[in-house]
Amino acid sequence: MPIPEDVTGEEIDKDVRQELQSLPKTLAEDVAKNLVMVARLIDEDPERAYAYSRIALRLASRVAAVREAAGFAAYATQKYSEALAEFRAARRMTGTVELWPLMADCERGLGRPEKALDMAGAPEVQKLDKAGQVEMRLVAAGARRDMGQLDAAIVTLQSSELASNSVQPWTARLRYAYADALLAAGREGEAREWFAKAVEADRDGSTDASDRLAELDGVEFTDAFVEDEEQDQVQEPAQDGAHRDEQDAQDEDKD
């Protein structure tokens, strides 16, 4: 696949660049460029990101950062079995537990929520940083919902992180998940309160909490362009009618 001219490979994280130093220089540059494309496209065009990740994987499958990038790209395209395999490979290479929540979520994607819950209770979770532990809690709550255990999902999300007034990178998503679980359980008043709290914390628009809150408040959004078109269509027949009346009057004068 073509690489845009503005991509040099130097854009990648310095730790990843260091990993690639084990490769011949030209090969390392090619792999780096493909990894840059994965990072650039994974949100807006995950299928293309996946294609670039496969090229990087073919070139350097023994590099942990490449396996990890391939896992993220597969995960973004809902290829959960493939993503899980790549995350496992990266973990074996690095010995870290950072990918544990994503691996558990892959189990959910494969229809194995019980396995995800087992992973949520594993010793590896204690080794995660705070962000990783919150992510694991979100995955566990999702697994409970997969199994139809709404009340258990709500309890799973109740934590010191949820109760805290300080806003962290995970705060909006945690509050949103809690609100969504409450709404699914029929607790609309509480859900509205927590969607509002999610909006307060969602500084970069990572959730659609504001839309969900508006729905609960009965606010309907209309497309201004469509609305203008409809008004034009209403006005046009009236103008046609006025023209016909004028023509009829002229005809009568002639008579």
Side-chain angles (χ1 to χ4, degrees):
M1 292 183 67
I3 303 287
E5 291 183 3
D6 66 315
V7 174
T8 65
E10 293 296 316
E11 300 89 343
I12 59 172
D13 184 85
K14 67 176 183 178
D15 291 335
V16 176
R17 193 181 303 121
Q18 190 171 350
E19 276 192 67
L20 295 178
Q21 286 178 358
S22 62
L23 303 173
K25 184 179 180 182
T26 302
L27 180 59
E29 289 175 354
D30 288 343
V31 173
K33 289 178 181 179
N34 280 283
L35 291 180
V36 170
M37 293 307 296
V38 173
R40 179 179 288 189
L41 295 169
I42 197 162
D43 291 327
E44 63 186 55
D45 193 347
E47 287 294 345
R48 283 183 65 206
Y50 174 76
Y52 281 107
S53 79
R54 300 308 293 176
I55 295 171
L57 192 59
R58 189 172 69 246
L59 294 173
S61 62
R62 294 185 180 181
V63 176
V66 171
R67 302 304 289 265
E68 187 172 322
F72 276 108
Y75 180 82
T77 52
Q78 299 183 3
K79 297 176 177 69
Y80 296 117
S81 181
E82 198 173 306
L84 184 57
E86 298 301 340
F87 287 147
R88 283 173 174 167
R91 183 168 178 265
R92 283 195 301 271
M93 292 175 178
T94 62
T96 63
V97 295
E98 292 175 3
L99 297 170
W100 195 253
L102 280 164
M103 291 165 62
D105 206 37
C106 285
E107 295 288 2
R108 282 187 61 211
L110 292 168
R112 301 193 291 248
E114 297 89 349
K115 177 63 176 173
L117 285 177
D118 287 344
M119 293 179 69
E124 284 82 355
V125 176
Q126 303 307 315
K127 300 175 185 177
L128 293 168
D129 61 14
K130 181 62 71 175
Q133 290 180 3
V134 170
E135 196 64 37
M136 193 71 245
R137 190 177 290 278
L138 288 166
V139 172
R144 291 291 186 189
R145 290 190 62 171
D146 294 342
M147 298 165 69
Q149 300 174 0
L150 286 175
D151 290 340
I154 291 169
V155 171
T156 299
L157 293 167
Q158 291 171 346
S159 58
S160 58
E161 293 83 14
L162 180 68
S164 175
N165 289 324
S166 68
V167 175
Q168 304 294 333
W170 62 78
T171 303
R173 291 178 59 238
L174 183 59
R175 291 177 179 179
Y176 181 95
Y178 188 59
D180 195 47
L182 288 168
L183 188 60
R187 295 161 62 176
E188 188 171 312
E190 293 171 87
R192 191 208 171 282
E193 176 188 345
W194 281 97
F195 275 128
K197 289 182 178 181
V199 170
E200 291 174 6
D202 195 359
R203 295 166 179 170
D204 58 357
S206 62
T207 74
D208 65 346
S210 59
D211 292 342
R212 299 294 299 277
L213 184 61
E215 286 175 13
L216 286 174
D217 288 342
V219 176
E220 291 186 11
F221 295 100
T222 57
D223 190 316
F225 180 74
V226 172
E227 196 174 76
D228 289 344
E229 279 191 338
E230 289 174 352
Q231 287 178 351
D232 290 343
Q233 289 171 0
V234 170
Q235 290 171 359
E236 283 174 5
Q239 291 171 352
D240 289 344
H243 177 73
R244 282 195 297 271
D245 290 342
E246 184 180 340
Q247 187 64 48
D248 290 344
Q250 290 175 357
D251 292 343
E252 285 177 4
D253 290 342
K254 288 179 182 179
D255 293 341

